[in-house]
Amino acid sequence: MTATLDTRETRWLARFERLDEVGSTNDVVAGWLRDGTPEVCVAIAEVQTSGRGRNGRTWAAPRGAALLLSGGFRPTWLAPEATWRLAAIVSLAMAEACEIGASVRAGTIRLKWPNDLVAVHPSTGAVRKLAGVLGETDGLGTSDARAVVGIGVNAGWRPEDFPPELADSMTSLAELAPGAPIDREVVVHVFLQRLERLVGELRGGAFPAEAWRARQLTNGLPVRLELPDGTVEEVEAVDVDVETGALIVSDGDAWSGGAPRSVHVGEIRHLRVGAIPVGAAGV
């Protein structure tokens, strides 16, 4: 089933479709772009049968439990090295949309570098993943530059239905706002409104650097960092570089001679976080 909608929130899009079941919304949107669809185009699906996450992982959710969407861009107007900012603004738009859709306090939803959405359990300090983000690009630096940013949000997924092997590492809007109705339509509408503004600003050369930095949960925390070659490092996440998107880490404090360095590709696999106040991001 496919339905093309025309609402106030979608008129700015070149193409917007709701799909019932697909292999991957990223693949759907990538196909649109290959066929010549202009930016920005968005696909939303009820079910993905071949959803994927970063580093080739699979990603699946029960019907109705998640918000699954992908956005397609033609970033000829962005320098290739700045394309990471598309995933960043998608994450920012979705973080704010989820907070509004679930009626939770601003700053509840944080970013785990580079762009995954997470929340901190208020009493245990456990970091739980709310949404994964996957960006894929092709033809950067050419006249046919294409970028797809997919995001899967655990929306109405009840904690008692979490897969046992993931129950300690994931959360959902339903868990963040127990007893409150989770209206995915509100989330979608707010997301598209925020994304329209952020894309327009980015096209004009403005990136919301401080908002992106403020959402970062990892700043100032010890982390276990996994590099592309499989190397694992225990480092302190000092900050993020708002010009390059890199994670700035230190191998030790200033007294032990630790010097900051930039990590451009990697994944934070473990966070050691104490209980911190919800909303501490100040966003």
Side-chain angles (χ1 to χ4, degrees):
M1 177 183 68
T2 302
T4 302
L5 302 185
D6 181 22
T7 70
R8 185 167 53 116
E9 291 80 12
T10 62
R11 287 185 191 131
W12 68 281
L13 297 170
R15 185 171 183 176
F16 175 78
E17 292 190 16
R18 293 182 182 275
L19 308 157
D20 181 43
E21 184 174 306
V22 300
S24 161
T25 55
N26 265 31
D27 289 345
V28 169
V29 171
W32 292 352
L33 293 174
R34 284 194 302 272
D35 292 342
T37 300
E39 68 169 16
V40 176
C41 49
V42 172
I44 300 177
E46 282 295 308
V47 176
Q48 289 187 133
T49 58
S50 302
R52 58 187 180 272
R54 298 182 72 232
N55 300 322
R57 299 186 186 93
T58 58
W59 197 92
R63 178 178 291 272
L67 174 58
L68 311 168
L69 65 83
S70 295
F73 305 87
R74 295 187 173 278
T76 53
W77 43 273
L78 265 179
E81 63 272 17
T83 308
W84 66 271
R85 291 181 168 178
L86 292 172
I89 64 172
V90 166
S91 295
L92 284 173
M94 186 58 77
E96 187 171 350
C98 286
E99 288 172 345
I100 293 172
S103 299
V104 297
R105 182 178 172 185
T108 296
I109 297 170
R110 311 290 292 275
L111 300 182
K112 179 171 74 70
W113 183 87
N115 293 304
D116 283 349
L117 275 60
V118 298
V120 178
H121 192 284
S123 59
T124 67
V127 177
R128 305 285 181 85
K129 186 172 179 176
L130 174 69
V133 178
L134 178 65
E136 298 176 307
T137 61
D138 192 23
L140 296 185
T142 74
S143 61
D144 191 28
R146 303 187 298 271
V148 179
V149 181
I151 186 164
V153 181
N154 300 327
W157 206 334
R158 300 179 304 172
E160 58 268 29
D161 296 331
F162 291 169
E165 67 276 14
L166 298 176
D168 291 338
S169 62
M170 67 181 285
T171 190
S172 66
L173 296 181
E175 184 176 38
L176 294 178
I182 303 301
D183 190 336
R184 288 183 298 168
E185 289 306 296
V186 171
V187 177
V188 170
H189 290 170
V190 175
F191 168 75
L192 292 177
Q193 289 173 343
R194 301 303 190 268
L195 185 63
E196 179 182 15
R197 174 177 57 81
L198 290 170
V199 169
E201 291 173 354
L202 191 58
R203 281 181 177 143
F207 174 68
E210 290 312 310
W212 185 68
R213 171 183 275 135
R215 287 267 181 192
Q216 297 290 334
L217 175 65
T218 47
N219 289 352
L221 295 176
V223 300
R224 182 177 298 152
L225 183 65
E226 184 175 311
L227 302 177
D229 63 1
T231 303
V232 176
E233 299 180 343
E234 299 280 349
V235 296
E236 180 180 352
V238 179
D239 200 353
V240 286
D241 186 332
V242 298
E243 295 298 325
T244 68
L247 180 69
I248 302 173
V249 304
S250 174
D251 298 309
D253 57 39
W255 293 273
S256 62
R261 57 188 171 90
S262 296
V263 176
H264 294 273
V265 182
E267 185 171 4
I268 294 173
R269 301 291 291 158
H270 179 70
L271 280 173
R272 296 191 295 272
V273 185
I276 63 175
V278 172
V283 292

